[in-house]
Amino acid sequence: MEIGYRWVDRWKLRWNTWDLRVVILISLSLQILLIFLAPLRKRVSKAWITVPIWCAYLLADATANFAAGLISHSEGQTSGPSTDPTLLAFWAPFLLVHLGGPDTITAFALEDNELWLRHFLSLGFQCWVVGYAFVQSFPNHKLWIPTLLIFIAGVIKYFERTRALYLASSRIIKDSFLTDPDPGPNYAKFMDEYASKKEAKLPTEIEMIPEPSSRSNNTGNDEAKEDLSCLKVVQTAHKYYTTFKGLIADLIFSISQRNESRDYFLNRTARDAFHIIEVELNFFYDIHYTKARVVQGRFLGYPLRIISFSLTCAALVLFHSIEKKKFYEFDIAVSYTLLIGAIALDLIAFLMILHSDWTAVALTKSEHPNWFIKILPKWFIKILQCLLNVNRVRWPKNPGPKPKWYSYRKIMHIVRLRWSESLSQYNLINYCLHPRIEWWEKTIAFFSLTNMLDGMNYVNPVDFTDKLRDFIFDELKKKSKQADDLETAKEIFSARGDWILRYESRANLLCWINNVEFDESIILWHIATELCYYADNVKNDNRKFSKHLSDYLLYLLVMQSTMLSNIAGIGQIRFRDTCAEAKKFFRGRNVLEEEKDSCQKIVTFCKYFFCCFNKCSFKGEKERDELLKENACISILDVNTEVEPIAVKGDRSKSVLFDACRLAKELKKIKRPLERWKIISKVWVELMSYAAGHCRAHTHMAQLSKGGQLLTLIWLLMVQLGLGDQFRIREGNARAKLIVSK
């Protein structure tokens, strides 16, 4: 028994000796991890990157606070070699530096910005802890000067983070985008003058002077013949970001802003247009999730950063020059690690700022918004432009095939991305053909893991190809050209498939759009697209586009329902009922291969569990799945659907399986497959455009930290093309003039 107690006491002594050292080094390691990994979350939507960032983000604050508690507990104790008050006081301010966090992440989710007041109170508490450790170390504090320097640097860092959270909070960000109140012309004074002229019985008329045309004479046709330079793309993106940043505050815009943006994008290539949108969304990401808005601020950005870095460097020099014989060698090594680590993090952050799009715009803008850059001489700015290579190639024209393995080429490919450039695919037929084992389904439902495992097992991403990009842009471009007036623009904005069907003279298909809710139309057209896909053997781009957009919209409906919450209605109920009917139908037609014994169930479960985490298929599995889907689709199409399903089943069940079958048969009446897939693909673009335009801006912003969504790019692109309901200011201030006839 005594041996056991001695063993416990020995480990307790070791922990008391090393706890603070270990925790404070872990805190530094988390800062290093975050500064490199955090930028990847806007480029990658995989769990292998988001989960470590989430853990590091939560642990960073918790570890720093825990270390502060250890310092407070250790003050005044002399029970071992780990309690040196001077070094404790010197280490304490580094926790403020760590709590300030790296520039690349201030908030993990949009909701974190609303906690700025909590961080402000934490700043005061941590300053009190550091001050307490500082006072306790007197009168024998040889490191009080470097400690004070690190303390000031830490306060600056934590202040920057708190201010970034404050500026990104919903109320402040809306207030910041509001323009000055506009009372308009003095109506009362004008009418007094008009009344006085009338009383004098003078023949008076009111003449309205029209405003100058807001349409640009130079439509940019010459520029559209070739791609923009990378720097021009960034500059244009910043210009339109400045114009339309009020979107996230639900502001309205003028017809002149619409016309200027619309004329410009109508004369751009799909490649340039999407690159501009990508950079714009990166600007939105930076102001919501990083310190960019603070660092790029007019007054406090660069000066505070230079002061903080200079103080840390001065602390390193002073610490190196002070006699350190009293301290243990490991403690000295920890101190140097903290100092060099703080300087290295500042240098890395500084390099990231210098190579950011914000700096490229600031150094090439004729009127610099930041006074710190404005005071720099022109020759120095030109040298900076050359050193930073602001005109560098950001998007290679021929990047080649995407690398499959995580090599240097794969890393560089990810670094160049502005968003994930992928579409998540969720297929209803595939989901119903691979049901889970009953006891496993109940188990994961009990632990609320159904959605997570559905995402791992049934969601597969596909690349967002250049052909699909060009197709979507061409369709939106055609609609924008048709929307010369606001009424037409709003009609196109509100269309969810019916506009293109009327345009293509397919009135027989309108009932499958106008007479159903939006979520119902997604599921209907998804199943119908799947049935037609396996019924046709033709290979063309529109067939592939329809398949990808169909699976993507269903993924949003089922797995990202918040993006469609305003318009989806009872989408989840309708999806579940449709799946239940599909599974029942497949079992009745022997399409599903049910497991006969417990051994086969165990094998199936192990195979499912393995593929869940590895996203793979066994040899021949894909071919078998495709054959299963084809047989399932043929079985559905073979059903006689002369009578409407609601007349047979009633409307209690919201399943639309055989309604979709009727739609597929209606589509099959279009004899030419190329014409059929042309219509289907255009309907899907319109459905996606409707979903994008009616998704709240706050929800779009939330997706930027999760790899981004194509729906968000479509939303912003539609605004730039003048397709939306944000344009409500038809004219500027009226220019009325009194005309007195002789």
Side-chain angles (χ1 to χ4, degrees):
M1 212 49 190
E2 289 184 6
I3 295 175
Y5 282 128
R6 289 176 184 175
W7 182 82
V8 172
D9 290 340
R10 188 161 55 250
W11 276 103
K12 286 177 64 177
L13 180 61
R14 289 182 179 178
W15 173 247
N16 291 334
T17 302
W18 294 98
D19 54 359
L20 180 58
R21 297 175 175 88
V22 172
V23 171
I24 204 167
L25 290 176
I26 290 175
S27 180
L28 176 62
S29 302
L30 290 172
Q31 299 301 309
I32 297 172
L33 187 69
L34 282 173
I35 199 170
F36 288 110
L37 288 186
L40 298 180
R41 66 195 186 117
K42 66 180 177 181
R43 303 179 174 99
V44 182
S45 58
K46 304 291 186 181
W48 62 265
I49 189 68
T50 55
V51 171
I53 294 174
W54 175 68
C55 293
Y57 177 80
L58 295 179
L59 286 174
D61 286 357
T63 304
N65 289 323
F66 181 60
L70 290 176
I71 289 175
S72 300
H73 179 70
S74 300
E75 286 291 346
Q77 293 187 4
T78 57
S79 59
S82 64
T83 55
D84 191 304
T86 303
L87 278 182
L88 289 178
F90 181 61
W91 292 348
F94 285 98
L95 301 177
L96 283 174
V97 176
H98 296 171
L99 286 169
D103 289 0
T104 53
I105 182 170
T106 54
F108 184 81
L110 277 182
E111 293 75 16
D112 295 330
N113 292 314
E114 309 304 321
L115 303 177
W116 67 268
L117 185 58
R118 180 182 299 180
H119 285 273
F120 181 74
L121 295 175
S122 178
L123 172 60
F125 174 74
Q126 294 300 332
C127 288
W128 178 82
V129 171
V130 173
Y132 174 78
F134 188 79
V135 171
Q136 286 291 104
S137 63
F138 274 98
N140 300 318
H141 197 333
K142 295 181 180 180
L143 301 175
W144 72 271
I145 295 180
T147 301
L148 184 61
L149 296 179
I150 296 297
F151 174 75
I152 297 173
V155 170
I156 291 174
K157 285 281 190 181
Y158 208 168
F159 169 76
E160 284 181 339
R161 181 186 182 186
T162 306
R163 179 168 171 77
L165 293 170
Y166 168 76
L167 293 176
S169 60
S170 58
R171 183 178 66 84
I172 300 302
I173 207 165
K174 287 186 177 182
D175 291 345
S176 66
F177 291 152
L178 293 175
T179 57
D180 295 332
D182 182 10
N186 195 332
Y187 174 79
K189 181 181 178 181
F190 182 87
M191 291 307 297
D192 287 343
E193 292 180 7
Y194 178 76
S196 65
K197 296 286 191 297
K198 283 290 187 181
E199 289 177 2
K201 297 182 179 180
L202 296 174
T204 307
E205 296 180 355
I206 299 177
E207 180 180 345
M208 298 297 298
I209 302 175
E211 285 194 332
S213 176
S214 61
R215 307 304 291 263
S216 173
N217 293 327
N218 180 17
T219 57
N221 288 325
D222 294 335
E223 293 183 4
K225 293 178 182 178
E226 57 183 18
D227 291 337
L228 297 175
S229 67
C230 292
L231 178 59
K232 186 64 177 177
V233 168
V234 173
Q235 291 173 329
T236 306
H238 186 267
K239 171 189 172 183
Y240 287 112
Y241 156 75
T242 304
T243 303
F244 292 105
K245 61 185 179 181
L247 283 169
I248 56 180
D250 298 322
L251 298 186
I252 58 176
F253 305 94
S254 67
I255 190 68
S256 61
Q257 291 172 316
R258 173 186 184 268
N259 289 339
E260 197 277 331
S261 171
R262 176 172 172 264
D263 290 344
Y264 183 84
F265 276 84
L266 282 177
N267 291 284
R268 297 268 64 84
T269 62
R271 183 177 187 270
D272 284 344
F274 269 85
H275 285 167
I276 292 171
I277 297 299
E278 290 171 10
V279 179
E280 276 191 75
L281 290 174
N282 272 242
F283 286 132
F284 280 115
Y285 170 86
D286 288 342
I287 67 171
H288 281 97
Y289 298 101
T290 71
K291 293 182 182 178
R293 198 172 179 189
V294 174
V295 176
Q296 302 291 338
R298 286 179 176 268
F299 304 107
L300 299 178
Y302 294 110
L304 282 181
R305 185 52 54 90
I306 292 174
I307 291 172
S308 173
F309 179 73
S310 301
L311 291 175
T312 308
C313 292
L316 175 61
V317 173
L318 290 174
F319 181 79
H320 181 71
S321 62
I322 291 175
E323 182 64 39
K324 297 179 282 293
K325 289 184 179 180
K326 288 177 57 180
F327 306 138
Y328 291 94
E329 290 184 2
F330 188 80
D331 290 348
I332 296 172
V334 170
S335 301
Y336 275 118
T337 302
L338 292 174
L339 284 165
I340 296 173
I343 293 173
L345 289 173
D346 277 350
L347 286 174
I348 293 170
F350 184 63
L351 290 175
M352 288 182 172
I353 292 171
L354 288 179
H355 284 82
S356 68
D357 294 332
W358 297 90
T359 302
V361 172
L363 292 177
T364 56
K365 200 172 183 180
S366 56
E367 295 180 0
H368 301 293
N370 193 305
W371 69 269
F372 186 76
I373 293 180
K374 192 174 182 179
I375 63 175
L376 296 176
K378 291 184 178 180
W379 61 267
F380 187 71
I381 291 179
K382 289 183 178 179
I383 292 175
L384 284 177
Q385 291 175 0
C386 294
L387 291 176
L388 299 177
N389 192 17
V390 294
N391 202 19
R392 62 187 178 274
V393 176
R394 293 171 169 85
W395 299 274
K397 290 188 177 180
N398 297 308
K402 293 186 177 181
K404 297 182 178 180
W405 305 105
Y406 292 97
S407 59
Y408 174 76
R409 287 185 64 245
K410 181 67 173 180
I411 295 173
M412 293 308 298
H413 171 73
I414 293 175
V415 169
R416 289 195 185 101
L417 293 178
R418 298 295 179 132
W419 65 294
S420 62
E421 295 188 7
S422 63
L423 302 180
S424 297
Q425 306 284 281
Y426 193 97
N427 189 271
L428 185 144
I429 301 296
N430 179 66
Y431 176 78
C432 296
L433 288 173
H434 299 84
R436 295 190 182 94
I437 303 171
E438 186 177 353
W439 65 268
W440 176 241
E441 180 73 33
K442 293 180 179 179
T443 302
I444 63 175
F446 178 79
F447 291 102
S448 301
L449 298 175
T450 303
N451 286 340
M452 184 184 75
L453 292 181
D454 278 354
M456 296 171 65
N457 193 46
Y458 298 114
V459 177
N460 296 293
V462 296
D463 292 337
F464 180 60
T465 62
D466 292 346
K467 287 186 177 180
L468 179 56
R469 177 198 66 192
D470 296 346
F471 171 71
I472 293 173
F473 183 71
D474 289 341
E475 287 303 305
L476 295 178
K477 203 172 177 181
K478 291 176 185 176
K479 289 181 169 58
S480 180
K481 288 179 179 178
Q482 296 170 350
D484 279 331
D485 56 275
L486 289 182
E487 286 72 19
T488 307
K490 289 182 180 180
E491 186 179 354
I492 294 175
F493 174 76
S494 302
R496 49 188 181 94
D498 50 313
W499 179 274
I500 192 62
L501 291 178
R502 289 198 302 268
Y503 185 78
E504 296 287 343
S505 301
R506 298 291 176 179
N508 60 314
L509 298 174
L510 283 173
C511 61
W512 305 101
I513 294 291
N514 295 334
N515 298 341
V516 297
E517 297 178 3
F518 181 66
D519 64 288
E520 186 175 358
S521 64
I522 288 180
I523 300 176
L524 276 170
W525 283 85
H526 170 80
I527 298 174
T529 301
E530 194 74 4
L531 297 179
C532 293
Y533 184 85
Y534 285 100
D536 288 341
N537 293 322
V538 296
K539 291 184 178 181
N540 63 74
D541 290 335
N542 286 329
R543 178 173 176 259
K544 186 185 297 184
F545 298 158
S546 301
K547 169 72 172 174
H548 289 168
L549 294 180
S550 168
D551 289 353
Y552 177 62
L553 263 293
L554 189 72
Y555 162 79
L556 293 177
L557 180 68
V558 178
M559 304 301 296
Q560 297 287 344
S561 56
T562 55
M563 297 199 75
L564 305 181
S565 59
N566 293 340
I567 48 177
I570 56 172
Q572 295 287 337
I573 296 174
R574 208 181 305 275
F575 173 78
R576 287 163 59 90
D577 288 355
T578 304
C579 289
E581 185 174 22
K583 291 175 183 177
K584 182 179 180 180
F585 172 78
F586 292 153
R587 289 190 181 97
R589 296 298 175 98
N590 295 321
V591 177
L592 287 180
E593 295 182 4
E594 297 286 356
E595 294 83 3
K596 301 299 182 182
D597 52 28
S598 57
C599 292
Q600 191 174 356
K601 288 184 177 182
I602 293 174
V603 171
T604 303
F605 170 72
C606 293
K607 183 172 71 172
Y608 159 78
F609 187 80
F610 178 79
C611 289
C612 240
F613 289 95
N614 291 277
K615 287 288 183 185
C616 67
S617 297
F618 291 92
K619 186 176 181 179
E621 191 77 15
K622 289 184 179 180
E623 291 78 4
R624 177 180 174 274
D625 286 347
E626 289 298 309
L627 184 60
L628 261 179
K629 289 180 188 177
E630 185 176 351
N631 292 336
C633 292
I634 292 173
S635 299
I636 295 174
L637 284 172
D638 287 341
V639 175
N640 186 342
T641 56
E642 291 182 9
V643 181
E644 291 188 28
I646 193 173
V648 177
K649 303 189 307 175
D651 64 349
R652 180 171 181 175
S653 173
K654 300 303 178 183
S655 172
V656 295
L657 178 65
F658 292 106
D659 295 277
C661 179
R662 300 181 74 225
L663 172 59
K665 291 179 180 179
E666 195 70 28
L667 290 169
K668 293 288 287 181
K669 292 179 181 179
I670 304 175
K671 298 301 182 183
R672 291 188 300 170
L674 295 179
E675 182 68 19
R676 175 165 58 248
W677 286 111
K678 174 186 173 183
I679 292 173
I680 295 174
S681 60
K682 290 186 175 184
V683 168
W684 277 115
V685 171
E686 201 161 294
L687 286 171
M688 182 172 61
S689 302
Y690 181 84
H694 290 79
C695 177
R696 294 177 61 241
H698 180 275
T699 308
H700 282 302
M701 294 300 106
Q703 293 298 319
L704 297 181
S705 64
K706 304 173 184 177
Q709 291 287 352
L710 174 61
L711 204 70
T712 302
L713 274 77
I714 300 302
W715 163 69
L716 191 54
L717 181 59
M718 288 174 64
V719 174
Q720 310 286 27
L721 288 169
L723 300 173
D725 61 350
Q726 299 90 355
F727 306 100
R728 302 178 189 175
I729 306 174
R730 297 178 181 271
E731 298 177 356
N733 291 333
R735 300 181 182 183
K737 185 178 181 180
L738 285 177
I739 305 296
V740 180
S741 302
K742 294 183 179 180

